[in-house]
Amino acid sequence: MLVQPNEICVIQRGMWFSIDVFEETRGYILEVYGVHFELPDLGPIGANGLANPRDFLIPVAWYEDRQVPGGYTVINKYQGKLFAAKQLVSPFNVVAWHGNYTPYKYNLENFMVINSVAFDHADPSIFTVLTAKSVRPGVAIADFVIFPPRWGVADKTFRPPYYHRNCMSEFMGLIRGHYEAKQGGFLPGGGSLHSAMTPHGPDADCFEKASKAKLAPERIADGTMAFMFESSLNLAVTKWGLKTSNCLDENYYKCWEPLKSHFTPNSRKPAEFN
C-alpha cells in the first residue's frame, strides 16, 4: 500500500506491518485502544458528504513466501511495552482471509467540505474524517478532523476559527502550507496541544486581519492541510517532547498577548442585532 503526502492510512489492531520510506520522511501517528475508527454519523447531511466510503482504498491480496539470512524480527506491543521475537519465515505468509478486516488509505483531497453559506460557524464536527466512538454519544475517544481548502462566504461573521474552550483535548498538526489561525511559527511537521478546558483561538495578527477584512466570498486555506486529533481523554506530553527534542516553543502563549478587549456594550442598539 503506497501512502503518499496528504494521504492517511489506518492499520487495524493486531495486523503485522512493515514500513519503508524512500527519503527523509515525517508523519503523525495516532493510536487508539478498544474501538475502531469509523465514518461519523451524517445526520441531516444525508447519504453523501464529508469522507465518502467510495474514496477509501484497500490493498489487493498479497503474500510473501521466503526466508532471509538472520530471519525476521517481529515487534509486538503489550501493555505499553515493546517485545521482539525472531522467526525464520516471513510474517506476511498468509495467503488469504475471510471478511473485510483490512488496512485502508484515504486521500484527504477527496474530502467533501460542508460549510456555512449564510452566517456564523457550523459546529467543527463538519470537518470530521474518522471517529473512534466512546460509550457516551457525541463524545469520542478520538476524532480525526481536517481543515482543507474551501470557500468562506459567511456574512456578519468572524470567519477564522472562533475563540473557545471545551471538554476535549486538541492536538493540531500541519501537513503542508500555513494554518489560517496562526500564519507564523506553526510549520509543517509541528504540533500544538490545547488540553481540555484551555481557552485558545486565532493569534493577534489573524484577529486583526480578519476583523478588518471585507466579507466577500474568498478561498480559505488554499495549498494548506491542517488537521486535529481530538480526544475526550487527557493527553500527556513525553519527556522527549518537552525536553529532549529541544523543539518546544516556550513563547507560544505570547501570540495572544497583543489581543485587546473590544467589548463595547453601549455602542449598539439591541434592535440592530436582528
Coordinates of all heavy atoms in Angstrom, one line a residue, residues 1 11 18 28 31 35 39 54-55 66 78 88 90 99 123-124 135 140 155 163 174-175 184 194 256-257 272:
M1 N 0.9 -1.2 0.0 CA 0.0 0.0 0.0 C 0.9 1.2 0.0 O 1.6 1.5 0.9 CB -0.9 0.0 1.2 CG -2.0 1.1 1.2 SD -3.3 0.8 2.4 CE -2.4 0.9 4.0
I11 N -4.2 1.2 10.1 CA -3.8 -0.1 10.2 C -4.5 -0.7 11.4 O -4.4 -0.2 12.5 CB -2.2 -0.2 10.5 CG1 -1.5 0.3 9.3 CG2 -1.8 -1.7 10.7 CD1 0.0 0.4 9.5
S18 N 5.0 -3.6 8.0 CA 6.3 -3.1 7.8 C 6.3 -1.8 7.0 O 5.5 -1.7 6.1 CB 7.2 -4.1 7.1 OG 8.5 -3.6 6.9
Y28 N 2.6 11.8 11.2 CA 1.9 11.8 12.5 C 1.2 10.5 12.7 O 0.7 9.9 11.8 CB 0.8 12.9 12.6 CG 1.4 14.3 12.4 CD1 1.5 14.9 11.1 CD2 1.7 15.1 13.5 CE1 2.0 16.2 10.9 CE2 2.1 16.4 13.3 CZ 2.3 16.9 12.0 OH 2.7 18.2 11.8
E31 N -2.7 6.4 18.0 CA -3.1 5.0 18.3 C -4.3 5.0 19.3 O -4.3 5.8 20.3 CB -1.9 4.3 19.0 CG -2.1 2.9 19.4 CD -0.9 2.2 20.0 OE1 0.0 2.9 20.4 OE2 -0.8 1.0 20.0
V35 N -11.5 0.4 20.4 CA -12.5 0.6 19.4 C -11.8 0.8 18.0 O -10.6 1.0 18.0 CB -13.4 1.8 19.7 CG1 -14.3 1.5 20.9 CG2 -12.6 3.1 19.9
L39 N -16.6 6.0 10.0 CA -17.1 7.3 9.5 C -18.1 7.9 10.5 O -18.9 7.2 11.1 CB -17.8 7.0 8.1 CG -16.9 6.6 7.0 CD1 -17.7 6.3 5.7 CD2 -15.9 7.7 6.6
R54 N -16.7 5.6 -0.8 CA -16.1 5.1 -2.1 C -14.7 5.6 -2.3 O -14.0 5.0 -3.2 CB -17.0 5.7 -3.3 CG -16.9 7.2 -3.4 CD -17.6 7.8 -4.6 NE -17.6 9.2 -4.7 CZ -18.6 10.0 -4.3 NH1 -19.7 9.5 -3.7 NH2 -18.4 11.3 -4.4
D55 N -14.2 6.5 -1.5 CA -12.9 7.1 -1.7 C -11.8 6.4 -0.9 O -10.6 6.7 -0.9 CB -12.9 8.6 -1.4 CG -13.7 9.3 -2.5 OD1 -13.6 9.0 -3.7 OD2 -14.4 10.3 -2.1
R66 N 9.1 -16.6 1.7 CA 10.5 -16.6 1.6 C 11.2 -16.5 3.0 O 10.5 -16.2 4.0 CB 11.0 -15.4 0.7 CG 10.9 -14.0 1.4 CD 11.2 -12.9 0.4 NE 11.2 -11.6 1.1 CZ 12.2 -10.9 1.4 NH1 13.5 -11.3 1.1 NH2 12.1 -9.7 1.9
Y78 N 2.6 -4.7 24.0 CA 1.8 -5.4 25.0 C 1.8 -4.6 26.3 O 2.9 -4.4 26.9 CB 2.2 -6.8 25.3 CG 1.4 -7.6 26.3 CD1 0.1 -8.0 26.0 CD2 1.9 -8.0 27.5 CE1 -0.7 -8.7 26.9 CE2 1.2 -8.7 28.4 CZ -0.1 -9.0 28.1 OH -0.9 -9.7 29.0
L88 N 12.0 -17.5 11.4 CA 12.7 -17.8 10.1 C 11.9 -17.4 8.9 O 12.4 -16.9 7.9 CB 13.0 -19.3 10.0 CG 14.1 -19.8 11.1 CD1 14.3 -21.3 10.9 CD2 15.4 -19.0 10.9
S90 N 8.7 -15.5 6.7 CA 8.2 -14.1 6.6 C 6.9 -14.1 7.4 O 6.0 -15.0 7.3 CB 7.9 -13.8 5.1 OG 7.1 -12.6 5.0
G99 N -13.6 -12.1 5.3 CA -14.1 -10.8 5.9 C -13.5 -9.6 5.3 O -12.8 -9.6 4.3
D123 N -20.9 23.7 13.6 CA -20.0 23.0 14.6 C -18.8 22.4 13.8 O -19.0 21.9 12.7 CB -20.8 21.9 15.3 CG -20.1 21.3 16.4 OD1 -19.2 20.4 16.2 OD2 -20.3 21.8 17.6
P124 N -17.6 22.5 14.4 CA -16.4 22.0 13.7 C -16.5 20.5 13.4 O -15.7 20.0 12.7 CB -15.3 22.3 14.7 CG -15.8 23.5 15.5 CD -17.3 23.2 15.6
V135 N -18.5 5.2 24.7 CA -19.8 4.8 25.1 C -20.8 5.9 25.3 O -22.0 5.7 25.5 CB -19.7 3.9 26.4 CG1 -18.9 2.6 26.1 CG2 -19.1 4.7 27.5
A140 N -16.2 11.5 21.7 CA -15.4 10.5 21.1 C -14.1 10.2 21.9 O -13.6 11.1 22.5 CB -15.0 10.9 19.7
D155 N -21.6 35.9 6.1 CA -21.8 37.4 6.4 C -21.8 37.6 7.9 O -22.2 36.7 8.7 CB -23.1 37.9 5.7 CG -22.9 38.0 4.2 OD1 -21.8 38.3 3.7 OD2 -24.0 37.8 3.5
Y163 N -12.8 31.8 19.1 CA -12.1 31.5 20.4 C -13.1 30.6 21.2 O -14.3 30.9 21.3 CB -11.9 32.8 21.1 CG -10.9 33.7 20.4 CD1 -11.3 34.7 19.5 CD2 -9.5 33.6 20.6 CE1 -10.4 35.5 18.8 CE2 -8.6 34.4 19.9 CZ -9.1 35.3 19.0 OH -8.2 36.1 18.3
L174 N 0.1 20.1 11.2 CA 0.1 20.7 9.8 C 0.9 19.9 8.9 O 2.1 19.6 9.1 CB 0.7 22.1 9.9 CG 0.7 23.0 8.7 CD1 -0.8 23.3 8.2 CD2 1.5 24.3 8.9
I175 N 0.2 19.4 7.8 CA 0.9 18.6 6.8 C 1.6 19.5 5.7 O 2.7 19.2 5.3 CB -0.2 17.7 6.1 CG1 -0.8 16.8 7.2 CG2 0.4 16.9 5.0 CD1 -2.0 15.9 6.6
G184 N 2.3 32.4 11.4 CA 3.7 32.3 11.6 C 4.0 31.4 12.8 O 3.3 31.3 13.7
H194 N -3.7 21.8 23.0 CA -4.6 22.5 23.9 C -5.4 21.5 24.7 O -6.3 20.8 24.2 CB -5.5 23.5 23.1 CG -4.7 24.5 22.3 ND1 -4.9 24.6 20.9 CD2 -3.8 25.4 22.6 CE1 -4.1 25.5 20.4 NE2 -3.4 26.0 21.5
W256 N -1.0 35.5 21.8 CA -2.3 36.1 22.2 C -2.1 37.3 23.1 O -3.1 38.0 23.3 CB -3.1 35.0 23.0 CG -3.5 33.8 22.2 CD1 -4.3 33.8 21.1 CD2 -3.1 32.5 22.4 NE1 -4.4 32.5 20.6 CE2 -3.7 31.7 21.4 CE3 -2.3 31.8 23.4 CZ2 -3.5 30.3 21.3 CZ3 -2.1 30.5 23.3 CH2 -2.7 29.7 22.3
E257 N -0.9 37.6 23.6 CA -0.8 38.8 24.5 C -1.2 40.1 23.9 O -1.7 40.9 24.6 CB 0.7 38.8 25.0 CG 1.0 37.7 26.0 CD 2.4 37.9 26.6 OE1 3.2 38.6 26.0 OE2 2.6 37.4 27.7
E272 N -30.4 46.4 16.4 CA -29.5 46.3 15.3 C -29.0 44.9 15.2 O -28.4 44.5 14.2 CB -28.4 47.3 15.5 CG -28.8 48.7 15.4 CD -27.6 49.7 15.5 OE1 -26.5 49.2 15.7 OE2 -27.8 50.9 15.4

